[in-house]
Amino acid sequence: TYVVTENCIRCKYTDCVDVCPVDCFYEGPNFLVIHPDECIDCGLCEPECPAEAILSEDDLRDEQQPYVALNAELAELWPNINERKAPLADAEEWNGVADKLKYLER
Ligand code: SF4
Ligand code: F3S
């Protein structure tokens, strides 16, 4: 399965949503997640993310491992998103900033 990781937080570009053939993205206030039971592992979303926040579960670095459980948890809580929208207003400023997990809003 594919996983949305930290650099999506406070950016939320949503380019990923447009290419997903099974519409398995779910939207929170400042982060998106992938439902692990719905993702068909097509890989189409990975190159679309301007923040390079999407990775195959197999390619996660050690510190990114918690995002597997986080995607699974939040995908059950948040509504589905199947159309691209404008990124968050200051997405460019937050793209690449370290330690954004503390800003995650639920
Ligand atoms: Fe959707 Fe494919 Fe990305 Fe999975 S890998 S979230 S199915 S676009
Ligand atoms: Fe997030 Fe990248 Fe999609 S920033 S909303 S995972 S395009």
Side-chain angles (χ1 to χ4, degrees), residues 25-87:
F25 283 90
Y26 292 79
E27 183 186 18
N30 63 6
F31 186 49
L32 250 58
V33 292
I34 293 169
H35 199 307
D37 298 339
E38 298 173 359
C39 174
I40 59 170
D41 254 338
C42 72
L44 288 174
C45 55
E46 181 175 2
E48 295 301 317
C49 176
E52 298 183 1
I54 303 177
L55 292 167
S56 168
E57 188 172 13
D58 302 330
D59 295 334
L60 295 176
R61 300 191 304 269
D62 285 349
E63 68 272 20
Q64 294 172 318
Q65 289 297 334
Y67 284 85
V68 175
L70 195 59
N71 276 241
E73 177 197 349
L74 297 175
E76 292 288 335
L77 301 176
W78 286 347
N80 188 259
I81 173 172
N82 56 24
E83 280 191 342
R84 184 177 177 171
K85 57 165 72 170

Side-chain angles (χ1 to χ4, degrees), residues 4 7-8 11-16 25 32 48-51 53-54:
V4 184
N7 203 33
C8 177
C11 290
K12 204 168 78 167
Y13 286 104
T14 75
D15 299 51
C16 52
F25 283 90
L32 250 58
E48 295 301 317
C49 176
I54 303 177

